[in-house]
Amino acid sequence: MKKQMYLFKITFILIIVSFFPLYLFAEESSNDEATKKDSLLLLDLLNRKRMYVVQEKLFRKSPKLEIAPLVGGFFNDPFWDTLTYGGEAFFHFSEFFAIGGSYRYAKTWQSNNAKPLEEVFDIRADSSILNYLVLGNIIITPIYAKASLFARKVVHFDFYFTLGAGLINTTAEWSEEVSDATGTRVVQQSQDGSSLAYNFGVGARVFLTKRISFKVELSNVLYQDFVRDHETWFWRLPVNVGFGIFLP
């Protein structure tokens, strides 16, 4: 009985020893197969077109000086068309806060709405015509974003708010009836002057490079002007576009 047990144990050990190399070979073959699949997958990815993913922030705005030439116009005056051009400079103390100022000179001409009044009726609508505008503003930039354009390029941009005040120089124009010995006639009156202006608005930058951005600003300018010897509030809606350059 004991002899049979010894024979059984020896036979079992021999069987295990015989099949162990086969197990190692099978495991090695399985690993080789997995490695081969990984290599084929990597080769397939390399053969595909380049994939663009969201990157890190393009660069830091602070502490840097931003200068920007701007061109735009006032688009809510029914009787005058106004083209403005000038520039602005802001120092960015942080990624979210900047302070600076801007200057805009204006070129103004009568719109199609005003010409019939003067040509047919010889009168001019009460108007406040912009000559130049100087503003000091703060900029708050709460939003920085990135987007994939047609899955080919990552575009960096931000949105900001502006708030400030300054000086506006205008020419007030109006028509007035004057009576004299020859009768009553219409006289065109005008008066130049300067007054405080208050500004608030929104804007956006699209970063073209690490130093240059394309800017769009929509502002609201409120001020008082003397028309017919009394003060009248005027609201103007300037839109400006330009390129911001960060120094150094």
Side-chain angles (χ1 to χ4, degrees):
M1 186 66 180
K2 290 183 179 182
K3 185 180 289 186
Q4 291 178 351
M5 288 296 296
Y6 287 134
L7 290 174
F8 176 78
K9 291 180 180 180
I10 292 172
T11 304
F12 179 78
I13 292 172
L14 291 175
I15 292 172
I16 295 299
V17 172
S18 300
F19 280 98
F20 185 73
L22 296 176
Y23 169 76
L24 293 178
F25 177 78
E27 185 177 9
E28 184 177 356
S29 299
S30 177
N31 292 336
D32 291 343
E33 188 69 22
T35 302
K36 184 178 180 181
K37 288 182 179 179
D38 292 340
S39 300
L40 291 175
L41 179 61
L42 179 60
L43 183 62
D44 181 63
L45 290 175
L46 292 175
N47 288 332
R48 294 182 183 180
K49 292 182 179 180
R50 181 175 295 180
M51 298 173 61
Y52 290 84
V53 297
V54 176
Q55 305 167 2
E56 296 293 331
K57 191 170 183 179
L58 189 61
F59 81 110
R60 295 185 62 85
K61 297 194 295 287
S62 65
K64 291 182 175 66
L65 176 67
E66 179 189 12
I67 60 174
L70 296 174
V71 63
F74 287 5
F75 297 104
N76 66 326
D77 190 332
F79 300 109
W80 296 91
D81 294 327
T82 304
L83 173 68
T84 62
Y85 50 92
E88 62 184 16
F90 285 88
F91 187 80
H92 293 263
F93 293 93
S94 71
E95 296 300 296
F96 312 103
F97 180 78
I99 188 170
S102 64
Y103 173 83
R104 296 166 198 163
Y105 182 78
K107 177 67 176 177
T108 306
W109 61 94
Q110 284 185 325
S111 69
N112 293 329
N113 297 326
K115 290 179 180 179
L117 293 176
E118 188 165 354
E119 294 173 356
V120 178
F121 302 102
D122 194 28
I123 62 174
R124 182 166 294 182
D126 292 356
S127 303
S128 177
I129 304 170
L130 174 68
N131 296 322
Y132 63 83
L133 176 64
V134 181
L135 292 172
N137 284 328
I138 62 172
I139 290 181
I140 300 175
T141 308
I143 300 174
Y144 180 91
K146 294 169 281 188
S148 177
L149 183 62
F150 297 111
R152 298 291 300 172
K153 182 176 178 58
V154 175
V155 179
H156 299 249
F157 57 94
D158 63 20
F159 295 97
Y160 59 88
F161 299 96
T162 64
L163 178 66
L167 183 70
I168 188 170
N169 182 268
T170 58
T171 298
E173 290 193 355
W174 67 93
S175 297
E176 194 172 85
E177 289 186 347
V178 177
S179 299
D180 52 23
T182 60
T184 302
R185 57 193 176 91
V186 177
V187 177
Q188 307 297 338
Q189 303 283 4
S190 65
Q191 177 178 321
D192 293 339
S194 299
S195 59
L196 288 175
Y198 307 95
N199 171 70
F200 61 94
V202 296
R205 296 185 194 88
V206 178
F207 293 94
L208 305 178
T209 69
K210 290 185 176 182
R211 301 293 181 184
I212 300 175
S213 67
F214 176 74
K215 302 182 66 172
V216 179
E217 294 181 357
L218 172 63
S219 300
N220 294 269
V221 177
L222 299 173
Y223 66 96
Q224 284 184 310
D225 198 1
F226 280 92
V227 179
R228 300 182 186 273
D229 295 327
H230 64 271
E231 285 187 326
T232 302
W233 280 99
F234 287 89
W235 168 54
R236 294 292 180 255
L237 187 67
V239 178
N240 297 283
V241 297
F243 292 93
I245 303 170
F246 288 87
L247 303 174

